[in-house]
Structures are given as C-alpha cells and as structure tokens.
C-alpha cells in the first residue's frame, strides 16, 4: 500500500530514508534560501501589482504542498519573475491595482492554474508543454526579462507610469521624466549598482581573501538583504519618506490567512485562458530546472507527478493569500548548491518564511520600493539572452524567425500575446518543417551494402531504378508533397522501370498518406513502373497490412535496401544494350 501511495505521494518514498545527515543539510540549505527569499518574495509581489505580503504568503503553503506531492529533491517553488509579470498582465485586465478585486482575482488565477496543472497531471498531458519549442521559450523569456526590467524603472525614478508593452512603458516613463524624485533615484541607483557588484564580484573577492566557499555563498546570497537593511535604515533615519520616497509601508504581521478565491462566472471566464498560459509557461520553466538539477545527482523526476505537485502548490497559494507560483531557477540553484538533500529543505524554508511573516514584517515598513525594484532588475537581467538571435541565425533561419517574432510580439503587444503567438509559431514551424520532408535519391556506396545521397557521395546508380529515401513520417501535411515529388521525378527519367521508397526513417503513415501511396502506386502502374518499399518498420508494416495497399502494390516489400538493389538493378549487359 505504501508503494502504491508513494507513486502519488513522493514524500512517503524519500521520507522513509530520511536521516540526521539529510536533516542537517536541509536545514542549512533552508537558512540560505530563506535569507534570499525574504526580499525576493516582496519584490515579486510588487512586480505582480500585489501587496508585498502576498509574495511571502505565496512562498509558504505552496512550498509545503510541493514537498508532499513533488518529485524533485531540490526544486524551490514560489513566485518567479515571469509568472509575476503574467499575473499582473492577466488580472490588470479585470480589476484595478490596489483594490480588493485585484487581490481576489490573483487568488482565482492561482486556483485555475492549479486546477489546470492537476488535470494535466492526472491525464498525463505533460507532453503538451512540448508545443513550446526551445527557441520560442528563449525568445519569450528574453523579452519578458526586458519588459520586467523596464517596468521597474518607474520605481527607480519615483514616478507613476503604467503599461504592459515596451512602447507603452517607455512612453509613460519619458512623459514623467520631469517628476523624477532624485533621492529615490539615488537610492535605487546605489542599490542596483551594489547588487550587480554582489552578484558578479563579491564571491571571487571573498575567495581570494581565503573565505570558505560556503560562507562566501551565504554572503553573496545575503546581498539583497544587506541592500534592504541599508536602504531601510537610511529612509528611517533621514525621514526620506517625507521627501517623496515611496516605501512598502505597513505589512500585516501574521501567518497566511485562510481565504477563498472568487468563483464568479465572469471572472473565471476572463482568467481561464491566462491561467492556462501561465500553467504551461510555469511548468516548462519548472520541469526544465528540476530535470537539470536531478541529472547532476543521477536522480529522476516524473513530469506528470510534477504537474500534480505544482498544481497542489498553486491550490495552496489560492487559499492562503498568494498568487500563481512555479519552480524558480535562481532559488532552486541556491537550494541545490547549499546542499539540499530532500524536499524537506523547502518545508524548513516555509517555516523560516512563516517566522519572517510573524516577526519581521514591521522591520520593512520603511523599505523603499526602489530597492525592491533594484532586486528585480538585477535578478531578471540574467534571463535576457540576446545571443540566442545570433545562434539561431547561424543554425536555422526558421528558428531565428521564431525567436525574433516571439521577442517582437511580446515586447510590442504584451506577454499574453507573446505566449499565445509563441505556441502558434512553434506549431506552425513544426508543420512547415514536416510539410516538406527531406527526400533523398540514394545509390549504393561501392564495396558496401550502404546507400547514401547521390548529391553528397560517389555512389552506384541504375538509370532504370529510382531509390528515394524518405526522411520523415508521412501524414496529411506532407503526403501530397511525396506524391508530387515521385510523379515529377519519374516524368524526368524516361528510363525508370522501378521506384523504391526507402522507409527506414518513417515511423508513421496516417490515412491521408496511405491514400497518397495508393495514388502513387496507381499512377506508376499505368506507366508500367513498379513501386516497391524497403526497410519498413514493424509497426508501420502492421498498419499497412490492415489496408488493401500491400495487396494492390504492383511491386514488392524488401527487408533491406540492398535486397531491393540486388533484385531490381539492371544487369550491365542490359544497360549497355540500352
């Protein structure tokens, strides 16, 4: 019974082997991650347009639930930059920021996202995430990083500016430049510069001074905390809030509240599609991180169970004052590097954050929004990878087009359009690539039984024998392409007496493709040309036998292409006579 339950409750599997060594490692990792998450959670809530406490609330119950249902030993679940941006874009369409309706919409969005993830997990639909190709994901994340960083510039300047697209944001910022609060700019600029220095220079400096790696890591991860403390003290000591510096203000000093999302039909229908998009993006990011970290320790994760784990985490956020969450790269990498052995490290992190929510929130009253904006900017700029454009341009023009289009659409029209367009572009790219499959005319490599492309190798050919190697599965998109190709090639070679379709790379033949094969067979029969197949895979052959195609075939099916060559090639004397 425990083994059966372990499939759905991974905590039972790793919990049975939990020992003192794992406990000490998990506690140490939790301390380091908690230090990093306190300012980061506040900052991401700001990015989502929610009260700062929502970021902490979204990092407590979701982590505990993922520890029970998730399969990754190191994945840290909570608010992340891209999902926070998507959340702001989605609920900004149905409620005004700063209102109770805005917070309620965030809870509903988390619930819908959790429901969709759980359904995908139960029905094992994790493969749907594959509809987002890597180039499209890279383009979307790069554009999102630019949007997120740009959206925080207003906090660094101390101005009011709104917008969900790059042109709107830049226009709003430029229109309010005359309202810049120079004290806010000084605080934000100093915090940004300090955080960049901490991220890039502090650890190497400490290591040169002989500081152990672990301590150097702790100091590096605590950089945002140092920035928070320094700027908060400065605002309090010099009463900078009275000089126009915007601060976090009062944060409830309590554990996450138990609260029910709104299920109003109009709200649910408005947020359903954004919830699906957030779920897919979040799952892709999370499972990529989880698989990368698991591979480093020769562990494995179950993508379908990960869907259930992430769904449970979002349900937790929906009923405890949070908003949609997923596994984040930065916090998971810190968790892994700090030595986390099991998901219990996440549970200890949740305890640390719960303590912060109860005891430390009064200390952030004077925390300037500019510092949180600096934290976000420094974190998300690592997501921006403009080099993907150069790489895809050199490798594949189609992939470059996908990346460039996704970036431009996301920046110009917003993140929701960018995600939807990315999915559409991925699907269209697949259809385009497979609609014109690579079909090579092949010949025999002398002295061997191997067949290679006549345009790339010195091979033996027979003018009366046409051998075409089909390098793609055949289905409705490309069936007509093969039909036209064979017809045109036979029309060009009047001496052709036999055509062999080499099916070594064909894994599927759908009904449309079957009809095209029947048409090819019928046309070649009328011309007195034989149609043959070679190297047909077992499952493909099984399906072909269930039709009348094999019976009507005017040629043969050969086990290997060399068998077909040996049986069908014209003798040297016959070639000379011709």
């Amino acid at each position: 019974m425990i083994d059966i339950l372990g499939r759905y409750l991974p905590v039972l599997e790793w919990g049975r082997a939990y020992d003192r060594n794992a406990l000490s490692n998990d506690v140490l990792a939790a301390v380091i991650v908690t230090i990093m998450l306190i300012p980061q959670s506040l900052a991401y809530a700001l990015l989502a347009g929610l009260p700062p406490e929502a970021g902490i609330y979204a990092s407590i119950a979701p982590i505990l639930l993922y520890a029970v249902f998730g399969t990754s030993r190191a994945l840290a679940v909570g608010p992340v930059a891209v999902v926070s941006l998507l959340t702001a874009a989605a609920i900004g369409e149905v409620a005004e920021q700063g209102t109770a309706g805005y917070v309620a919409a965030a809870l509903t969005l988390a619930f819908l996202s959790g429901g969709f993830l759980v359904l995908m997990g139960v029905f094992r639909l994790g493969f749907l995430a594959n509809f987002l190709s890597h180039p499209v994901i890279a383009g979307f994340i790069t554009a999102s990083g630019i949007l997120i960083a740009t959206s925080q510039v207003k906090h660094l300047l101390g101005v009011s500016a709104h917008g969900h697209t790059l042109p709107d944001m830049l226009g709003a910022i430029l229109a309010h430049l005359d309202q810049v609060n120079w004290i806010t700019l000084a605080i934000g600029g100093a915090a940004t510069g300090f955080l960049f220095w901490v991220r890039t220079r502090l650890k190497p400096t400490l290591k040169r001074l002989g500081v152990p790696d672990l301590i150097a890591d702790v100091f590096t991860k605590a950089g945002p905390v140092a920035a928070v403390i320094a700027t908060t003290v400065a605002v309090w000591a010099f009463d900078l809030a009275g000089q126009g510096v915007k601060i976090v203000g009062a944060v409830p000093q309590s554990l996450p509240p138990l609260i029910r999302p709104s299920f109003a039909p109009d709200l649910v229908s408005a947020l359903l599609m954004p919830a699906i998009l957030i779920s897919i993006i979040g799952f892709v990011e999370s499972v990529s991180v989880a698989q990368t970290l698991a591979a480093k320790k020769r562990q494995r994760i179950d993508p379908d169970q990960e869907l259930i784990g992430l769904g449970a985490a979002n349900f937790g956020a929906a009923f405890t004052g949070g908003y949609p969450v997923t596994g984040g790269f930065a916090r998971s990498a810190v968790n892994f590097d700090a030595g986390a052995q099991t998901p219990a490290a996440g549970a200890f992190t949740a305890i640390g954050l719960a303590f912060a929510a109860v005891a430390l929130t009064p200390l952030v009253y004077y925390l300037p929004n500019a510092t949180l904006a600096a934290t976000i900017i420094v974190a998300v700029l690592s997501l921006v990878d403009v080099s993907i454009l150069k790489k895809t341009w050199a490798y594949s023009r189609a992939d470059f087009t996908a990346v460039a289009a996704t970036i431009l659409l996301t920046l110009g029209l917003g993140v929701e359009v960018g995600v939807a367009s990315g999915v559409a572009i991925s699907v269209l790219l697949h259809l385009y690539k497979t609609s014109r499959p690579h079909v090579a005319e092949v010949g025999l490599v002398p002295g061997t039984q191997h067949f290679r492309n006549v345009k790339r190798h010195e091979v033996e050919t027979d003018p009366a024998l046409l051998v075409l190697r089909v390098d793609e599965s055949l289905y409705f998109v490309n069936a007509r392409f093969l039909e036209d190709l064979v017809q045109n090639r036979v029309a060009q070679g009047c001496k052709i007496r036999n055509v062999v379709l080499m099916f070594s790379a064909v894994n599927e033949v759908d009904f449309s493709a079957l009809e095209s094969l029947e048409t090819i067979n019928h046309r070649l029969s009328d011309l007195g040309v034989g149609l043959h197949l070679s190297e047909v895979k077992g499952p493909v052959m099984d399906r072909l036998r269930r039709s009348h195609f094999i019976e009507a075939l005017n040629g043969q099916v050969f086990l290997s292409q060399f068998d077909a060559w040996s049986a069908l090639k014209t003798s040297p004397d016959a070639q000379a006579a011709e």
Side-chain angles (χ1 to χ4, degrees):
M1 178 63 70
I2 292 178
D3 290 337
I4 295 174
L5 289 176
R7 292 175 53 192
Y8 303 100
L9 296 172
V11 63
L12 298 178
E13 181 181 346
W14 59 263
R16 283 182 291 176
Y18 202 69
D19 55 22
R20 183 174 298 178
N21 180 61
L23 174 63
S24 61
N25 287 330
D26 286 345
V27 170
L28 178 60
V31 170
I32 296 174
V33 174
T34 301
I35 291 172
M36 182 188 78
L37 284 190
I38 292 174
Q40 192 182 79
S41 298
L42 297 172
Y44 286 155
L46 178 70
L47 175 60
L50 292 163
E53 65 270 17
I56 295 180
Y57 295 164
S59 300
I60 297 177
I63 297 178
L64 293 172
L65 288 167
Y66 180 82
V68 174
F69 293 99
T71 60
S72 172
R73 301 293 180 96
L75 189 70
V77 173
V80 299
V82 173
V83 170
S84 297
L85 179 65
L86 288 166
T87 298
I91 59 182
E93 297 293 327
V94 298
E96 184 178 349
Q97 187 172 323
T99 64
Y102 193 92
V103 175
L107 300 178
T108 302
L109 188 64
F111 180 84
L112 294 175
S113 179
F116 183 73
L117 287 165
V118 169
L119 285 176
M120 287 179 67
V122 170
F123 291 103
R124 299 188 173 276
L125 299 177
F127 69 90
L128 290 177
N130 295 332
F131 283 103
L132 275 173
S133 68
H134 176 71
V136 165
I137 294 172
F140 173 74
I141 290 178
T142 293
S144 296
I146 295 172
L147 283 178
I148 291 169
T150 305
S151 72
Q152 298 308 297
V153 172
K154 63 183 180 183
H155 296 297
L156 295 184
L157 300 177
V159 301
S160 296
H162 302 284
H164 295 300
T165 67
L166 188 61
D168 289 345
M169 291 179 188
L170 293 177
I173 291 170
L174 291 174
H176 293 83
L177 281 181
D178 59 334
Q179 303 172 12
V180 170
N181 183 295
W182 296 103
I183 299 176
T184 299
L185 179 58
I187 293 173
T192 303
F194 172 74
L195 291 174
F196 269 118
W197 177 80
V198 167
R199 178 178 284 258
T200 59
R201 311 296 297 178
L202 179 58
K203 186 174 181 179
T205 301
L206 292 175
K207 291 181 70 174
R208 282 197 302 269
L209 295 175
V211 177
D213 281 350
L214 181 59
I215 297 177
D217 276 336
V218 173
F219 275 101
T220 301
K221 302 304 182 294
V225 177
V228 165
I229 294 173
T231 55
T232 301
V233 170
V235 171
W236 168 76
F238 298 103
D239 190 25
L240 298 182
Q243 301 180 49
V245 175
K246 295 180 180 178
I247 59 175
V248 168
V251 176
Q253 191 176 356
S254 67
L255 290 172
L258 289 177
I259 186 171
R260 187 175 70 89
S262 171
F263 298 110
D266 291 345
L267 182 62
V268 171
S269 62
L271 294 179
L272 183 58
M273 186 54 65
I276 292 173
L277 294 176
I278 287 173
S279 300
I280 294 175
I281 290 293
F283 173 64
V284 169
E285 179 177 353
S286 180
V287 79
S288 298
V289 174
Q291 288 176 334
T292 299
L293 297 179
K296 291 182 178 181
K297 289 190 175 181
R298 298 189 177 184
Q299 297 168 348
R300 63 175 297 275
I301 67 165
D302 180 350
D304 292 314
Q305 183 62 34
E306 282 296 290
L307 285 164
I308 295 175
L310 292 173
N314 277 278
F315 279 146
F319 288 95
T320 57
Y323 66 98
V325 298
T326 191
F329 177 77
R331 67 182 65 192
S332 299
V334 171
N335 199 35
F336 180 87
D337 292 339
Q341 295 283 323
T342 72
F348 295 134
T349 299
I351 294 172
L353 290 170
F355 171 77
V358 171
L360 303 181
T361 50
L363 301 179
V364 301
Y365 182 91
Y366 288 101
L367 173 61
N369 289 345
T371 301
L372 295 179
T375 302
I376 293 173
I377 290 172
V378 173
V380 302
L381 285 182
S382 62
L383 302 176
V384 178
D385 180 18
V386 182
S387 67
I388 190 69
L389 291 168
K390 181 180 178 181
K391 294 174 183 176
T392 52
W393 176 264
Y395 187 77
S396 168
R397 296 294 192 272
D399 286 335
F400 169 81
T401 302
V403 172
T406 303
I407 291 176
L408 292 175
L409 289 170
T410 302
L411 293 178
L413 299 177
V415 288
E416 291 185 354
V417 174
V419 175
S421 301
V423 174
I425 290 170
S426 296
V427 174
L428 289 175
L429 270 179
H430 172 73
L431 294 176
Y432 172 76
K433 290 176 180 178
T434 57
S435 68
R436 301 179 62 82
H438 182 261
V439 179
E441 185 173 341
V442 298
L444 179 67
V445 178
T448 72
Q449 296 185 7
H450 300 293
F451 290 79
R452 293 293 184 269
N453 194 329
V454 298
K455 295 180 179 179
R456 294 178 178 269
H457 302 273
E458 293 293 333
V459 294
E460 296 179 14
T461 60
D462 182 348
L465 178 61
L466 173 64
V467 182
L468 298 175
R469 189 189 66 218
V470 183
D471 293 336
E472 184 69 65
S473 291
L474 297 175
Y475 69 121
F476 66 95
V477 172
N478 58 26
R480 185 61 181 270
F481 175 83
L482 179 64
E483 187 180 323
D484 293 340
L485 187 147
V486 172
Q487 181 177 350
N488 294 336
R489 182 62 184 85
V490 171
Q492 293 172 5
C494 59
K495 295 182 179 181
I496 294 176
R497 294 292 175 265
N498 288 286
V499 173
V500 180
L501 297 181
M502 189 175 173
F503 270 25
S504 53
V506 176
N507 298 313
E508 177 83 21
V509 175
D510 75 356
F511 191 77
S512 297
L514 174 65
E515 291 184 332
S516 286
L517 290 176
E518 291 174 342
T519 300
I520 292 171
N521 181 57
H522 179 70
R523 290 176 179 173
L524 293 182
S525 296
D526 290 344
L527 295 173
V529 177
L531 175 64
H532 312 269
L533 304 180
S534 71
E535 303 189 6
V536 183
K537 293 181 178 179
V540 176
M541 194 63 193
D542 292 341
R543 180 164 292 184
L544 292 178
R545 284 199 179 105
R546 291 201 293 268
S547 70
H548 297 292
F549 174 72
I550 297 300
E551 296 176 8
L553 186 67
N554 68 359
Q556 303 177 56
V557 179
F558 295 94
L559 184 62
S560 72
Q561 180 53 42
F562 186 75
D563 291 342
W565 171 267
S566 301
L568 301 173
K569 70 175 180 177
T570 309
S571 65
D573 293 338
Q575 291 187 33
E578 292 183 4

